[in-house]
């Protein structure tokens, strides 16, 4: 059993990077255990052994955090599939397993709250409903031993502030990471939230409200997220987080919901996104740029797989358990250089016919 684990804020204060592997929704949808559309994490209750294994696999790939799979395990989402009676069990099961894997591996465990999809500015009834949703999930996370709370994927500043207030009120002093999902909206030619707040002002308000870490997650791939992170860095002093989706978003199609197939012109989201996946080299470049910018909390969101997390960690200079199986092309039968290989294919003449 590992000893006392260094906390999130202590790591950041000491200049360390913290890697958070995300992406459970898409992982289990691709494997046939979660329905695209509603995106409710029913797999937590129906196949808990698979979730535990995914927690462990992300650890092997280098994640410092076992993020409890409670994204979209909130009252609004489960009501879509008539499973409100299972809500608490769904949350506690995901949290409890995350705590067990974190204790076994010497990792941090994070609770998770997210966008409600019902936020409307200046609507008291909706605000009260969202506050109640956040309250119960935060209290469950605290009771099940979370080390910090990740509040993520907010497109409206107003909702992000509600989430932050809820963690401050019910989180028993746990650190809170708040990340925004940035879409195409602009105000006076500047990037803005859906509720019309300019990017710098958004993060200044979240910093003033007491967020411990701030940044962006989901929606954008590395290429279109990093320019925004450069702007955020100029505006605040709070430690930064960048957790993009692993898709090749562009200036014309800046988020993965807007990506189109280069051959057919059809929308890729959600079932055909594989056509726009990042390469491992893209993730290496993302990790390198995060180091240059001083972004300490990094990860990969929807679309993530263990090889992306391992690649990111190795780019940060780490050797992780899964590094044992990182590529070694010196042993490849065509491209290899090992003296143990036959020269039939590795010679110039052999490569001419095979590569």
């Amino acid at each position: 059993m590992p000893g006392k684990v260094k906390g999130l804020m202590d790591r950041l204060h000491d200049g360390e990077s913290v890697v958070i592997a995300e992406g459970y929704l898409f992982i289990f949808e691709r494997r046939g255990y979660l329905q695209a559309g509603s995106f409710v994490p029913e797999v937590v209750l129906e196949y808990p052994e698979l979730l535990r294994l995914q927690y462990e696999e992300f650890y092997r790939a280098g994640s410092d955090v076992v993020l409890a799979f409670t994204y979209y395990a909130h009252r609004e989402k489960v009501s879509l599939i008539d499973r409100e009676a299972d809500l608490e069990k769904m949350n506690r099961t995901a949290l409890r397993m995350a705590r067990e894997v974190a204790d076994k591996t010497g990792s941090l465990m994070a609770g998770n709250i997210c966008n409600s999809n019902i936020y409307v500015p200046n609507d008291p009834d909706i605000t009260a409903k969202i506050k109640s949703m956040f309250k119960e999930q935060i209290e469950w996370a605290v009771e099940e031993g979370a080390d910090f709370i990740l509040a993520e994927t907010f497109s409206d500043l107003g909702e992000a502030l509600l989430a932050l207030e809820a963690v401050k009120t019910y989180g028993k002093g746990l650190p809170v990471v708040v990340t925004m999902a940035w879409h195409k909206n602009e105000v006076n030619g500047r990037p803005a939230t859906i509720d019309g707040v300019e990017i710098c002002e958004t993060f200044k308000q979240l910093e003033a409200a007491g967020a411990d870490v701030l940044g962006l997650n989901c929606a954008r791939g590395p290429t279109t997220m990093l320019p925004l992170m450069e702007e955020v860095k100029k505006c605040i002093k709070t430690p930064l987080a960048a957790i993009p989706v692993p898709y090749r978003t562009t200036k014309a199609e800046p988020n993965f919901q807007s990506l189109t197939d280069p051959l057919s012109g059809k929308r890729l989201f959600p079932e055909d996104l594989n056509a726009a996946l990042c390469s491992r080299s893209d993730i290496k470049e993302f990790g390198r740029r995060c180091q240059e910018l001083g972004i300490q909390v990094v990860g990969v969101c929807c679309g993530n797989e263990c090889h992306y997390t391992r690649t990111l960690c190795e780019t940060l200079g780490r050797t992780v358990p899964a590094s044992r199986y990182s590529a070694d092309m010196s042993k490849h039968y065509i491209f290899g250089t090992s003296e143990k290989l036959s020269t039939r294919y590795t010679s110039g003449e052999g490569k001419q016919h095979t590569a």
Side-chain angles (χ1 to χ4, degrees), residues 233-245:
K233 181 178 173 62
K234 296 173 185 176
C235 302
I236 60 173
K237 296 180 180 179
T238 301
L240 299 177
I243 308 174
V245 293

Side-chain angles (χ1 to χ4, degrees), residues 57 59-62 306 310 314 319-327:
E57 288 185 0
Y59 159 74
R60 287 191 66 257
C306 288
R310 180 181 67 183
E314 290 177 343
T319 299
V320 302
S323 294
R324 177 185 172 191
Y325 301 104
S326 294

Side-chain angles (χ1 to χ4, degrees), residues 90-149:
M90 188 180 292
N91 276 265
R92 288 193 184 274
T93 299
L95 288 158
R96 199 163 293 153
M97 283 195 294
R99 183 71 266 168
E100 290 167 359
V101 173
D103 289 342
K104 177 182 175 182
T105 59
S107 305
L108 294 167
M109 190 275 266
N112 189 205
I113 61 173
C114 68
N115 51 308
S116 69
N117 300 324
I118 61 171
Y119 178 75
V120 178
N122 305 313
D123 186 319
D125 292 337
I126 292 293
T127 295
K129 187 174 183 179
I130 293 172
K131 284 182 174 181
S132 176
M133 287 162 51
F134 289 154
K135 176 180 182 291
E136 61 189 359
Q137 281 196 290
I138 293 164
E139 289 179 336
W140 293 329
V142 170
E143 290 168 10
E144 297 298 341
D147 296 305
F148 68 94
I149 303 293

Side-chain angles (χ1 to χ4, degrees), residues 46 48 71 80 104 174 180 182 185 257 284-285 334 337:
E46 295 175 357
Y71 187 91
L80 288 174
K104 177 182 175 182
L174 292 181
M180 305 290 294
W182 217 266
N185 204 39
Q257 292 95 339
K284 288 179 183 177
E285 178 61 16
I334 296 175
T337 56

Side-chain angles (χ1 to χ4, degrees), residues 135-322:
K135 176 180 182 291
E136 61 189 359
Q137 281 196 290
I138 293 164
E139 289 179 336
W140 293 329
V142 170
E143 290 168 10
E144 297 298 341
D147 296 305
F148 68 94
I149 303 293
L150 174 61
E152 63 176 348
T153 325
F154 301 109
S155 301
D156 295 277
L157 171 61
E159 186 169 43
L161 287 169
L162 290 178
L164 177 54
E165 178 187 16
V167 179
K168 292 293 183 182
T169 303
Y170 305 110
K172 304 291 187 182
L174 292 181
V176 55
V177 179
V178 180
T179 52
M180 305 290 294
W182 217 266
H183 298 280
K184 295 180 176 182
N185 204 39
E186 291 188 350
V187 171
N188 297 322
R190 293 279 296 153
T193 59
I194 299 299
D195 53 353
V197 184
E198 184 270 341
I199 187 167
C200 196
E201 179 62 22
T202 293
F203 285 96
K204 284 182 176 179
Q205 287 195 37
L206 289 167
E207 183 177 57
D212 295 291
V213 180
L214 286 167
L216 300 173
N217 83 290
C218 207
R220 293 184 175 233
T223 301
T224 55
M225 178 178 285
L226 285 170
L228 294 181
M229 289 302 306
E230 291 176 11
E231 295 207 34
V232 174
K233 181 178 173 62
K234 296 173 185 176
C235 302
I236 60 173
K237 296 180 180 179
T238 301
L240 299 177
I243 308 174
V245 293
Y247 299 105
R248 288 179 166 175
T249 52
T250 65
K251 188 173 183 180
E253 299 175 340
N255 54 57
F256 72 155
Q257 292 95 339
S258 64
L259 285 170
T260 55
D261 190 312
L263 299 180
S264 69
K266 294 180 179 179
R267 187 184 69 194
L268 294 176
F269 185 90
E271 294 181 286
D272 292 328
L273 280 167
N274 285 3
L277 276 169
C278 287
S279 68
R280 298 187 205 194
S281 294
D282 295 335
I283 299 302
K284 288 179 183 177
E285 178 61 16
F286 166 68
R288 187 187 67 79
R289 286 291 293 132
C290 285
Q291 285 184 303
E292 290 178 351
L293 292 169
I295 299 171
Q296 291 178 267
V297 178
V298 294
V300 184
C301 203
C302 298
N304 188 26
E305 290 283 3
C306 288
H307 63 278
Y308 285 134
T309 297
R310 180 181 67 183
T311 296
L312 179 57
C313 289
E314 290 177 343
T315 302
L316 299 176
R318 303 183 183 188
T319 299
V320 302

